[in-house]
Amino acid sequence: MIKLLRSDLYRLFRSKAFYICMIIYAVLISGSAFLMNWSYKVIESNQEAIVGETITIQTTAETLFKDGISYGISSLSDGTIQILLAIVISIFITAEFSYGTMKNIVSKGYQRPKIYLSKLITMVIMTLIMLIVGFLSGTIAVTIITGKLGTFTGTYLWEVMRVVGIETLLHIALASVFAMIAMVIRNNGGSIAGSIIGVSLFGTLIYQLLELIFKNKVKFSQYSLQYNIGLYRLDIAPPMDDIIRSIIVGIAFLVLSTVIGIIAFKNTDIK
């Protein structure tokens, strides 16, 4: 298992796709902050001296850029990382099948569950790195813009640590789902399409269909990964029921996708 993990980590840190997606993510997160700040300044400079309109714009800008840490946390809920994770994970896992290296690994006698878990752990580490990069990029950018890093009261720090932990769990669960899809499809383009379109669009339609069948008596969409990931974008201290649900959803998706992925990989005929 250790040898497998070392090999996978070596491949990850030599992957061009990983570094390209990480740089793109950092640029998008920090760049969007500077772009929004610039756009508000342009609008304000072109406004006529109407007090009501000026106050509205200033209030909106202050809400978006409360401080660096707040923006960094909101970046964790940004849908961009989901697309980038789907791309990196699909490329990383399907490459083993495309180049025939997966057959060589299996032929050496490694147990398939250990092979799968090694890939999954590597993708979890990659996800953590991406989250850290996004958080730091957003925090640094808005700290430069506003000159405010954030308040450091005990309550606020606890809320920040809690939401970061929950977002990390949810994104790890999402990475696990993408890894499962890549292991099942085993094709680069198909895995990327299945991860992005299947999870983001088709998954949403399934939740909506279930709500329609049950006449909205049960809010199934609240139990999706995307819903819970986006839940903390504007509020880092939601009701405790929402926090508990997010934790349960993250653990459930992580466990189920891992079990399904291992079973599918064990029954796969590798050529």
Side-chain angles (χ1 to χ4, degrees), residues 184-196:
V184 171
I185 298 178
R186 289 171 290 157
N187 174 271
N188 190 5
S191 297
I192 294 175
S195 297
I196 296 176

PDB file of all heavy atoms in Angstrom, residues 184-196:
ATOM      1  N   VAL A 184     -15.059   3.553 -13.226  1.00  0.00           N
ATOM      2  CA  VAL A 184     -16.114   2.807 -13.917  1.00  0.00           C
ATOM      3  C   VAL A 184     -16.041   3.027 -15.428  1.00  0.00           C
ATOM      4  O   VAL A 184     -16.111   2.076 -16.212  1.00  0.00           O
ATOM      5  CB  VAL A 184     -17.500   3.219 -13.388  1.00  0.00           C
ATOM      6  CG1 VAL A 184     -18.610   2.615 -14.249  1.00  0.00           C
ATOM      7  CG2 VAL A 184     -17.676   2.786 -11.939  1.00  0.00           C
ATOM      8  N   ILE A 185     -15.869   4.275 -15.855  1.00  0.00           N
ATOM      9  CA  ILE A 185     -15.876   4.596 -17.281  1.00  0.00           C
ATOM     10  C   ILE A 185     -14.535   4.283 -17.938  1.00  0.00           C
ATOM     11  O   ILE A 185     -14.472   3.775 -19.059  1.00  0.00           O
ATOM     12  CB  ILE A 185     -16.256   6.078 -17.492  1.00  0.00           C
ATOM     13  CG1 ILE A 185     -17.675   6.326 -16.969  1.00  0.00           C
ATOM     14  CG2 ILE A 185     -16.158   6.457 -18.963  1.00  0.00           C
ATOM     15  CD1 ILE A 185     -18.134   7.758 -17.087  1.00  0.00           C
ATOM     16  N   ARG A 186     -13.429   4.629 -17.256  1.00  0.00           N
ATOM     17  CA  ARG A 186     -12.066   4.311 -17.703  1.00  0.00           C
ATOM     18  C   ARG A 186     -11.689   4.964 -19.030  1.00  0.00           C
ATOM     19  O   ARG A 186     -10.823   4.489 -19.756  1.00  0.00           O
ATOM     20  CB  ARG A 186     -11.866   2.792 -17.799  1.00  0.00           C
ATOM     21  CG  ARG A 186     -11.817   2.101 -16.453  1.00  0.00           C
ATOM     22  CD  ARG A 186     -11.839   0.608 -16.632  1.00  0.00           C
ATOM     23  NE  ARG A 186     -13.126   0.140 -17.089  1.00  0.00           N
ATOM     24  CZ  ARG A 186     -13.343  -0.986 -17.734  1.00  0.00           C
ATOM     25  NH1 ARG A 186     -12.318  -1.794 -18.018  1.00  0.00           N
ATOM     26  NH2 ARG A 186     -14.546  -1.344 -18.116  1.00  0.00           N
ATOM     27  N   ASN A 187     -12.372   6.033 -19.354  1.00  0.00           N
ATOM     28  CA  ASN A 187     -12.065   6.791 -20.561  1.00  0.00           C
ATOM     29  C   ASN A 187     -11.988   8.259 -20.199  1.00  0.00           C
ATOM     30  O   ASN A 187     -12.856   8.768 -19.492  1.00  0.00           O
ATOM     31  CB  ASN A 187     -13.147   6.547 -21.617  1.00  0.00           C
ATOM     32  CG  ASN A 187     -12.964   7.411 -22.847  1.00  0.00           C
ATOM     33  OD1 ASN A 187     -13.470   8.529 -22.910  1.00  0.00           O
ATOM     34  ND2 ASN A 187     -12.232   6.903 -23.822  1.00  0.00           N
ATOM     35  N   ASN A 188     -10.956   8.931 -20.679  1.00  0.00           N
ATOM     36  CA  ASN A 188     -10.697  10.309 -20.274  1.00  0.00           C
ATOM     37  C   ASN A 188     -11.883  11.231 -20.558  1.00  0.00           C
ATOM     38  O   ASN A 188     -12.447  11.845 -19.655  1.00  0.00           O
ATOM     39  CB  ASN A 188      -9.437  10.828 -20.987  1.00  0.00           C
ATOM     40  CG  ASN A 188      -8.981  12.165 -20.427  1.00  0.00           C
ATOM     41  OD1 ASN A 188      -9.524  12.669 -19.459  1.00  0.00           O
ATOM     42  ND2 ASN A 188      -7.962  12.720 -21.049  1.00  0.00           N
ATOM     43  N   GLY A 189     -12.258  11.335 -21.821  1.00  0.00           N
ATOM     44  CA  GLY A 189     -13.351  12.224 -22.198  1.00  0.00           C
ATOM     45  C   GLY A 189     -14.662  11.824 -21.553  1.00  0.00           C
ATOM     46  O   GLY A 189     -15.418  12.684 -21.072  1.00  0.00           O
ATOM     47  N   GLY A 190     -14.933  10.532 -21.540  1.00  0.00           N
ATOM     48  CA  GLY A 190     -16.182  10.056 -20.944  1.00  0.00           C
ATOM     49  C   GLY A 190     -16.242  10.314 -19.450  1.00  0.00           C
ATOM     50  O   GLY A 190     -17.302  10.658 -18.910  1.00  0.00           O
ATOM     51  N   SER A 191     -15.094  10.171 -18.779  1.00  0.00           N
ATOM     52  CA  SER A 191     -15.055  10.407 -17.331  1.00  0.00           C
ATOM     53  C   SER A 191     -15.270  11.879 -17.000  1.00  0.00           C
ATOM     54  O   SER A 191     -15.992  12.212 -16.059  1.00  0.00           O
ATOM     55  CB  SER A 191     -13.709   9.937 -16.765  1.00  0.00           C
ATOM     56  OG  SER A 191     -13.543   8.555 -16.942  1.00  0.00           O
ATOM     57  N   ILE A 192     -14.633  12.760 -17.770  1.00  0.00           N
ATOM     58  CA  ILE A 192     -14.810  14.194 -17.537  1.00  0.00           C
ATOM     59  C   ILE A 192     -16.261  14.594 -17.773  1.00  0.00           C
ATOM     60  O   ILE A 192     -16.862  15.317 -16.972  1.00  0.00           O
ATOM     61  CB  ILE A 192     -13.871  15.010 -18.448  1.00  0.00           C
ATOM     62  CG1 ILE A 192     -12.409  14.756 -18.062  1.00  0.00           C
ATOM     63  CG2 ILE A 192     -14.188  16.498 -18.346  1.00  0.00           C
ATOM     64  CD1 ILE A 192     -11.406  15.424 -18.976  1.00  0.00           C
ATOM     65  N   ALA A 193     -16.827  14.103 -18.883  1.00  0.00           N
ATOM     66  CA  ALA A 193     -18.227  14.410 -19.187  1.00  0.00           C
ATOM     67  C   ALA A 193     -19.159  13.838 -18.133  1.00  0.00           C
ATOM     68  O   ALA A 193     -20.105  14.498 -17.681  1.00  0.00           O
ATOM     69  CB  ALA A 193     -18.592  13.866 -20.567  1.00  0.00           C
ATOM     70  N   GLY A 194     -18.878  12.590 -17.728  1.00  0.00           N
ATOM     71  CA  GLY A 194     -19.717  11.955 -16.719  1.00  0.00           C
ATOM     72  C   GLY A 194     -19.649  12.671 -15.386  1.00  0.00           C
ATOM     73  O   GLY A 194     -20.656  12.786 -14.684  1.00  0.00           O
ATOM     74  N   SER A 195     -18.468  13.154 -15.033  1.00  0.00           N
ATOM     75  CA  SER A 195     -18.292  13.843 -13.753  1.00  0.00           C
ATOM     76  C   SER A 195     -18.953  15.217 -13.761  1.00  0.00           C
ATOM     77  O   SER A 195     -19.674  15.579 -12.833  1.00  0.00           O
ATOM     78  CB  SER A 195     -16.800  13.988 -13.428  1.00  0.00           C
ATOM     79  OG  SER A 195     -16.203  12.736 -13.264  1.00  0.00           O
ATOM     80  N   ILE A 196     -18.707  15.981 -14.825  1.00  0.00           N
ATOM     81  CA  ILE A 196     -19.231  17.348 -14.874  1.00  0.00           C
ATOM     82  C   ILE A 196     -20.724  17.369 -15.182  1.00  0.00           C
ATOM     83  O   ILE A 196     -21.518  17.963 -14.451  1.00  0.00           O
ATOM     84  CB  ILE A 196     -18.462  18.180 -15.913  1.00  0.00           C
ATOM     85  CG1 ILE A 196     -16.990  18.311 -15.495  1.00  0.00           C
ATOM     86  CG2 ILE A 196     -19.099  19.569 -16.065  1.00  0.00           C
ATOM     87  CD1 ILE A 196     -16.122  19.025 -16.508  1.00  0.00           C
TER      88      ILE A 196
END
